[in-house]
Amino acid sequence: AYSRNTGFLDYFALAVLFLGAATLRQNSDFLRIQRFYFVALTLVIIVCILEVSGINIQKVNLTFKGSLIGTFGNPNFISAYLGMGGTAVFAVLLGRKKNLLQRAFFILPLVVIALLILRSNSRQGFVVLIGGCAFVFFFYLRSLNKTKILQALYLGIIGVVGVFSIAGALKKGPLAEVI
């Protein structure tokens, strides 16, 4: 289908990146990948902001009128990518060795990403963002070395929300109208 080939290339590149990252051993290698990822995310965000502003720097025929496509060719791909990017920003926000001002700096990109996902007219990005942030937050709780009760309570709440969300996606249950 038209404009889906770029999505295939993006997902193929992500798979190659995953396989490459699985072989890394040094922390500096992970930090280098993180830097490159955030540079790519920043460029995609800039293209999206320009597109929302009415500037089409790619000179492509926008087949999805009123929806954001960014550099990905369709709203679902850009939405999912922004969700992954927002999850990465959230993970850095929760990272150790950051003062309050540094943490506050990462809130602005999260807000911009959420607004761009909203503009894409695709709920896929919010699903990725919320699910990814929930996953990251669980590991943040584990890193605090607090009681296992808090972790179990969090997993229980996330499990219940997850079941209701899946049921809603299948048009059943109380969230069927929302999802």
Side-chain angles (χ1 to χ4, degrees):
Y2 175 75
S3 77
R4 295 223 180 242
N5 53 346
T6 56
F8 170 76
L9 292 174
D10 290 322
Y11 286 126
F12 178 75
L14 285 173
V16 169
L17 182 63
F18 171 76
L19 291 173
T23 64
L24 298 179
R25 300 284 181 247
Q26 296 179 353
N27 194 35
S28 61
D29 293 332
F30 288 107
L31 292 175
R32 188 175 314 134
I33 287 175
Q34 183 184 35
R35 270 194 302 270
F36 284 128
Y37 181 74
F38 281 124
V39 167
L41 179 65
T42 301
L43 293 174
V44 167
I45 289 172
I46 289 169
V47 169
C48 289
I49 290 171
L50 289 172
E51 187 179 323
V52 168
S53 302
I55 302 169
N56 183 0
I57 65 169
Q58 302 176 82
K59 305 292 184 219
V60 295
N61 184 11
L62 299 177
T63 58
F64 301 96
K65 296 291 183 203
S67 295
L68 183 68
I69 64 165
T71 58
F72 284 73
N74 97 24
N76 293 325
F77 289 137
I78 191 65
S79 178
Y81 181 80
L82 289 170
M84 289 187 290
T87 299
V89 170
F90 184 71
V92 172
L93 177 111
L94 292 181
R96 297 181 188 260
K97 301 178 184 173
K98 292 194 178 27
N99 63 36
L100 190 60
L101 182 61
Q102 289 171 320
R103 290 182 197 276
F105 175 76
F106 286 97
I107 292 175
L108 177 62
L110 275 176
V111 170
V112 170
I113 286 170
L115 290 172
L116 289 173
I117 291 171
L118 184 65
R119 182 65 165 77
S120 74
N121 295 324
S122 172
R123 294 183 185 163
Q124 191 171 332
F126 284 119
V127 171
V128 171
L129 180 62
I130 292 167
C133 288
F135 187 72
V136 166
F137 192 71
F138 171 72
F139 285 103
Y140 174 73
L141 284 178
R142 282 189 59 191
S143 74
L144 295 177
N145 292 327
K146 300 293 179 187
T147 65
K148 301 283 184 195
I149 295 171
L150 183 61
Q151 293 173 30
L153 180 65
Y154 180 76
L155 281 178
I157 292 170
I158 291 301
V160 169
V161 170
V163 167
F164 279 112
S165 297
I166 291 171
L170 297 172
K171 304 293 182 206
K172 300 192 185 315
L175 298 178
E177 298 291 323
V178 180
I179 300 179

